[in-house]
Amino acid sequence: MTDARTTTTGTDWAAWQESWDRQQEWYMPDREERFRIMLDMVEALVGTAPRVLDLACGTGSITARLLRRFPDATSTGVDLDPALLAIARGTFEGDERVSFVTADLKDPDWAAALPYDAYDAVLTATALHWLHSEPLAALYGQVAELVRDGGVFMNADHMIDDTTPRINAAERAQRHGRMDQAKRDGALDWAEWWEVAGQDPVLAGPTARRFEIYGEHADGDMPSAARHARVLREKGFTEARPVWCSPSDTLLLALK
Ligand SMILES: C[S@@+](CC[C@H](N)C(=O)[O-])C[C@H]1O[C@@H](n2cnc3c(N)ncnc32)[C@H](O)[C@@H]1O
């Protein structure tokens, strides 16, 4: 028997979404604020019924917030992680506004697997720092082709300005001090969250496969917001600048 929170597997997908959110918030306490501004900018630039590509969607965090706020929106989520995609697919099972695609964003042909050639908005969060600068630039070229003229790309991520090393070090020390305290209060970090997922009867298999694909975590770069903006302009966007930032994170918007 299923209820509002569970589906045919009997898994409580909403509980997995909540525990994923708590784990991610341990790293980014202002994560929800970042999503809220992202959706404000979606509304401002492409309206309230956009076709969205949730790039490196994980559990579908952006898609969930998008559809709660804009019920007429549609979303394609793309990711490579079989466990996070299992949670995403379980969460949105039966919702015709949403589809998911398994693809490696480093594969030159990844976009061929998408159901559409063009999107009003391509949105991504806490993901592109898994790529090194060269594959990131190639990806930005592909994203520029997928965004329609007048459409937007937004990337919310940790972006480091290495011209300010003393500010960065002080900010990092404070952030990590707060994370240490939250951990003493019971927060789960990335490794601990995956340990729990690996013990779940439904997620154990996909979790083992995701460790074969990525190991603990892929290795990448964290360029500054200015560098992200420059590459996006080089790849075909006409305007690009931050629309929000915290001491550690930036939400960068590029307009085609
Ligand atoms: C920290 S999670 C963030 C997920 C989601 N955007 C969120 O904010 O909750 C990073 C995601 O990027 C995805 N990712 C990293 N490299 C990727 C690649 N080369 N191809 C596809 N997905 C990738 C991972 O699988 C993971 O789901």
Side-chain angles (χ1 to χ4, degrees):
M1 183 147 139
T2 60
D3 62 27
R5 289 173 66 99
T6 62
T7 56
T8 44
T9 59
T11 303
D12 186 345
W13 298 115
W16 280 110
Q17 291 287 352
E18 280 159 29
S19 80
W20 172 258
D21 286 345
R22 297 296 86 74
Q23 177 255 110
Q24 287 286 291
E25 282 164 1
W26 179 65
Y27 297 94
M28 288 155 290
D30 38 22
R31 181 171 176 259
E32 280 309 320
E33 171 78 356
R34 218 175 54 161
F35 285 137
R36 186 178 68 75
I37 303 293
M38 179 182 269
L39 295 182
D40 279 352
M41 293 296 100
V42 165
E43 183 173 359
L45 286 146
V46 293
T48 58
R51 179 191 290 167
V52 167
L53 178 62
D54 184 350
L55 191 71
C57 62
T59 63
S61 307
I62 293 174
T63 296
R65 287 152 182 82
L66 173 82
L67 297 179
R68 266 204 299 273
R69 180 158 161 185
F70 307 126
D72 294 330
T74 55
S75 181
T76 307
V78 58
D79 204 285
L80 183 61
D81 186 310
L84 298 182
L85 277 173
I87 297 173
R89 290 189 166 109
T91 301
F92 296 98
E93 193 181 304
D95 189 331
E96 289 177 356
R97 298 168 299 176
V98 185
S99 59
F100 292 101
V101 169
T102 300
D104 183 348
L105 298 174
K106 288 193 257 187
D107 175 347
D109 293 327
W110 70 269
L114 297 176
Y116 302 106
D117 295 339
Y119 287 85
D120 301 308
V122 177
L123 308 176
T124 188
T126 328
L128 301 191
H129 68 268
W130 289 42
L131 302 183
H132 285 292
S133 297
E134 220 171 280
L136 179 70
L139 178 65
Y140 276 176
Q142 291 169 307
V143 168
E145 285 178 18
L146 284 168
V147 174
R148 67 155 166 91
D149 286 346
V152 294
F153 168 68
M154 276 183 258
N155 178 12
D157 209 351
H158 194 43
M159 299 184 189
I160 297 178
D161 182 341
D162 57 16
T163 67
T164 59
R166 289 161 59 216
I167 298 172
N168 301 354
E171 181 280 318
R172 189 175 192 284
Q174 184 186 58
R175 181 159 39 91
H176 280 261
R178 288 178 178 164
M179 287 163 75
D180 290 345
Q181 183 55 53
K183 198 123 195 294
R184 286 192 289 275
D185 295 341
L188 289 189
D189 68 15
W190 177 260
E192 290 162 336
W193 190 89
W194 280 111
E195 251 182 70
V196 176
Q199 287 157 17
D200 180 83
V202 172
L203 293 178
T207 296
R209 286 203 299 284
R210 68 92 42 208
F211 276 94
E212 284 164 19
I213 294 169
Y214 287 122
E216 170 104 7
H217 194 293
D219 193 28
D221 296 325
M222 296 182 189
S224 66
R227 183 167 167 76
H228 279 277
R230 191 170 70 242
V231 176
L232 285 162
R233 280 191 294 264
E234 284 167 8
K235 296 293 178 183
F237 287 91
T238 52
E239 300 180 16
R241 72 163 171 87
V243 287
W244 176 91
C245 73
S246 73
S248 62
D249 269 49
T250 299
L251 172 60
L252 194 93
L253 185 155
L255 181 68
K256 179 95 175 284

